[in-house]
Amino acid sequence: MALQAALLPSTLSSVPKKGHRAAAVKDTAFLSVPHKKLQSASLSVRAQVATAPVATPGASTATKDSKKTLRQGVVVITGASSGLGLAAAKALAETGKWHVVMACRDFLKAAKAAKGAGMADGSYTIMHLDLASLDSVRQFVDNFSRSGMPLDSLVCNAAIYRPTARTPTFTADGYEMSVGVNHLGHFLLARLLLHHHLNKSDYPSRRLIILGSITGNTNTLAGNIPPKAGLGDLRGLAGGLRGQNGSAMIDGSESFDGAKAYKDSKICNMLTMQELHRRYHEETGITFASLYPGCIATTGLFREHIPLFRLLFPPFQKFITKGFVSEAEAGKRLAQVVSDPSLGKSGVYWSWNKDSASFENQLSQEASDPEKARKLWEISEKLVGLA
Ligand code: LMG
Ligand code: NDP
Ligand code: PMR
């Protein structure tokens, strides 16, 4: 790896193009916008790609006379414009081993965040993705295909949390927002990228990671703070989470609870990871994993919570529960799940102990119920138009 880094300073390193995609470079030249031009360009175009100028495709494999080295991996991280996603993007980009595709709904915010975090030009690409629209998910996959990049890892990280909401809001497709963005958008994205890209990658360790959380696991203290997560028999989801004639909650309950909707969505994330593992791990060799990175109490996730909560929550987690973890530390943990050879096992829900050592954690009964995972899969397929 040191050799690779030496051969490829990150500002010059290239994103390897897939062999059969070589011709696509010309077609998509208009999509490549150097960072400096990005800000004005991005105002008028909805879905576009910005990459810093790159060197010759394929340059990341070593020259003839040197030993063959591993090419740079390409990782897509959703919601990389803040919090955990940004910290992981930075951690991975800094290694020089990864080119990070930041899949974000707010192009300008992502560009500023990457610059602000000190990520080197050329070490990342920003591509538009709004998980609250299934059309946008499909468009992202098209744009990614046209970029010619391979895909070696996918991190489904973006999320929305609406803790004080007493009435639902809806995605472009009419699904309740928390589950629509956190689960359904990612479900479609993961399925499309898995079939069209991840399974075609020649990278030695390919991974698909979906963020879970302790608050979706009722086998923990944190998972028992009301409102508790619970999907019931999924009747609300089967009804389309519309909220008018049916329910906006997965379990079908009449009243909407934004905090519960988020926790429910995290159960969906953890169940989806396991169902992917059962269906595809053996056949593809791809690693499917989920994780609880620790309580990152300072991120934008809590932006909609009341100010008093936002003030007290970080010290409460730091000094009382001791579950607090900084964005930088959590970013390193997620980066480990993407790239550390010792975290390559599939079907695992990773957590970290007080010494920051990773371990395979136990999911709650509901978050590891294979029958529920299958049912969730089948309903979700219908809702996103895959079945
Ligand atoms: C609810 O808000 C919403 O109402 C609900 O709709 C839903 O959205 C739900 O799960 C989401 O949230 C509740 C939320 C808002 O408050 C809490 O549940 C508490 C959050 C944690 C804050 C605990 C504050 C503890 C004070 C610690 C102070 C820091 C200490 C630093 C030490 C420094 C040492 C050098 O409500 C609020 O945010 C109001 C919070 C008012 C807190 C008033 C303080 C009371 C202190 C009581 C101490 C309790 C300690 C907790 C231990 C619990 C053990 C079981
Ligand atoms: P942040 O709010 O900081 O980051 C969430 C990211 O998701 C942002 O980049 C946000 O974009 C993006 N996002 C939200 N909605 C959409 C959308 N419709 N389309 C595309 N992107 C969207 O939160 P965290 O970093 O804390 O959360 C990251 C992940 O970590 C989540 O999956 C969360 O569940 C998980 N997690 C967090 C914990 C914590 O303590 N914070 C604990 C356990 C798990 P924008 O910047 O434009 O708002
Ligand atoms: Mg919780 C005992 C440890 C512990 C841990 C690790 C967390 C994590 N929380 C713990 C305990 C408690 N929390 C206790 C005792 C309380 C009552 C005072 C409490 C309250 C609480 C609230 C109100 N906690 C919260 C909230 C939120 O709004 C957060 C949430 O549920 O978001 C969905 C939250 C969280 N606590 C955590 C973590 C990781 C979160 C947020 C993020 C998430 O699950 O993604």
Side-chain angles (χ1 to χ4, degrees):
M1 285 313 106
L3 174 64
Q4 186 202 358
L7 287 171
L8 294 165
S10 54
T11 45
L12 291 176
S13 65
S14 78
V15 180
K17 307 280 181 196
K18 284 181 283 196
H20 66 282
R21 288 279 178 198
V25 178
K26 199 175 154 214
D27 303 343
T28 57
F30 73 97
L31 288 171
S32 291
V33 185
H35 286 179
K36 297 237 162 54
K37 291 183 191 158
L38 165 66
Q39 301 201 351
S40 51
S42 60
L43 290 173
S44 53
V45 188
R46 184 168 165 263
Q48 77 271 100
V49 184
T51 56
V54 293
T56 330
S60 56
T61 44
T63 50
K64 278 179 209 153
D65 47 346
S66 65
K67 213 174 112 206
K68 200 175 178 194
T69 53
L70 190 63
R71 67 166 167 80
Q72 215 181 14
V74 175
V75 56
V76 167
I77 305 180
T78 67
S81 51
S82 81
L84 177 60
L86 177 62
K90 179 178 160 67
L92 287 163
E94 273 175 356
T95 63
K97 297 177 196 170
W98 291 92
H99 183 86
V100 182
V101 175
M102 301 169 72
C104 297
R105 63 174 164 174
D106 184 335
F107 204 92
L108 282 178
K109 181 177 174 181
K112 280 186 194 150
K115 277 254 179 290
M119 290 171 67
D121 279 2
S123 67
Y124 62 92
T125 299
I126 301 169
M127 290 178 70
H128 184 269
L129 168 67
D130 183 353
L131 288 157
S133 157
L134 297 175
D135 275 350
S136 174
V137 172
R138 291 184 182 279
Q139 199 165 17
F140 172 84
V141 176
D142 279 355
N143 284 336
F144 185 82
S145 301
R146 281 188 281 155
S147 78
M149 284 185 265
L151 178 66
D152 308 311
S153 270
L154 167 65
V155 181
C156 298
N157 161 81
I160 184 103
Y161 176 40
R162 313 200 55 243
T164 56
R166 292 288 169 267
T167 50
T169 49
F170 298 95
T171 65
D173 307 275
Y175 303 131
E176 187 281 315
M177 186 67 76
S178 320
V179 175
V181 168
N182 305 358
H183 168 59
L184 293 171
H186 277 138
F187 182 83
L188 179 62
L189 180 73
R191 291 286 301 276
L192 295 177
L193 288 179
L194 174 62
H195 290 286
H196 297 298
H197 294 281
L198 205 48
N199 65 352
K200 300 199 173 115
S201 155
D202 61 353
Y203 204 70
S205 177
R206 295 154 300 148
R207 302 185 187 180
L208 195 165
I209 296 144
I210 310 179
L211 263 291
S213 182
I214 195 168
T215 55
N217 279 294
T218 48
N219 57 340
T220 62
L221 171 60
N224 278 287
I225 308 298
K228 283 208 253 179
L231 309 186
D233 63 3
L234 300 163
R235 68 177 64 184
L237 187 69
L241 291 181
R242 307 264 161 189
Q244 297 104 356
N245 301 317
S247 169
M249 300 297 294
I250 292 180
D251 64 6
S253 60
E254 274 173 33
S255 58
F256 178 73
D257 185 327
K260 181 173 186 297
Y262 170 89
K263 295 176 190 181
D264 289 351
S265 77
K266 289 287 120 183
I267 303 192
C268 294
N269 288 153
M270 296 180 281
L271 288 174
T272 300
M273 175 281 284
Q274 294 162 91
E275 192 64 16
L276 283 163
H277 168 71
R278 278 188 286 270
R279 288 175 187 247
Y280 300 112
H281 174 63
E282 217 173 283
E283 175 194 327
T284 65
I286 293 167
T287 294
F288 300 95
S290 185
L291 67 150
Y292 166 59
C295 185
I296 330 159
T298 50
T299 72
L301 195 66
F302 310 102
R303 71 189 93 182
E304 288 189 37
H305 224 310
I306 59 169
L308 185 57
F309 175 87
R310 292 210 307 275
L311 181 72
L312 294 177
F313 192 55
F316 171 68
Q317 294 291 348
K318 255 182 211 159
F319 304 111
I320 299 179
T321 72
K322 310 243 196 284
F324 180 87
V325 59
S326 68
E327 294 181 25
E329 178 58 25
K332 284 187 206 151
R333 292 177 178 182
L334 177 50
Q336 278 175 32
V337 182
V338 171
S339 115
D340 193 319
S342 67
L343 277 71
K345 188 170 167 191
S346 187
V348 173
Y349 168 62
W350 296 104
S351 296
W352 285 259
N353 66 21
K354 296 248 182 297
D355 304 320
S356 247
S358 57
F359 66 95
E360 289 180 34
N361 206 348
Q362 205 67 34
L363 290 158
S364 71
Q365 199 181 7
E366 181 170 25
S368 55
D369 178 345
E371 189 45 39
K372 205 162 266 197
R374 189 188 56 77
K375 202 168 166 187
L376 173 68
W377 179 277
E378 286 168 4
I379 298 170
S380 302
E381 272 190 329
K382 290 198 184 111
L383 295 182
V384 303
L386 286 175

